[in-house]
Amino acid sequence: MRACSLVCIIIVIFLLINQFYSGLNWEQLFIGGFVAVAIWTDCGRWLRYKLRHRNR
C-alpha cells in the first residue's frame, strides 16, 4: 500500500467522524467519495500485485 493511500484512508475516517459531529456537509461527502474511489483503485492494484508475486 502506498503512503498516500494510507494518508487518504486516515483523512476519510476523520471526514466521516466530522460528519457525525457537525452534521451532513454534502461537499465534504462528495470529495470524500472521490478519495474513497482513489483508495479502492490503488489498494486493489496493490493487492493484486502482492497476490501475483506471492504465488511465484
Side-chain angles (χ1 to χ4, degrees):
M1 180 182 316
R2 296 181 185 180
C4 64
S5 292
L6 183 63
V7 170
C8 287
I9 289 170
I10 293 169
I11 290 171
V12 168
I13 290 170
F14 281 123
L15 209 155
L16 290 174
I17 291 170
N18 183 35
Q19 294 298 311
F20 284 115
Y21 284 112
S22 67
L24 287 178
N25 185 340
W26 293 105
E27 293 86 16
Q28 286 182 356
L29 285 176
F30 187 70
I31 292 171
F34 277 125
V35 172
V37 169
I39 293 168
W40 182 271
T41 303
D42 188 44
C43 290
R45 281 191 210 140
W46 179 76
L47 282 173
R48 281 192 302 260
Y49 172 79
K50 287 294 184 185
L51 288 173
R52 216 176 315 129
H53 287 298
R54 183 175 176 231
N55 291 332
R56 287 184 181 186

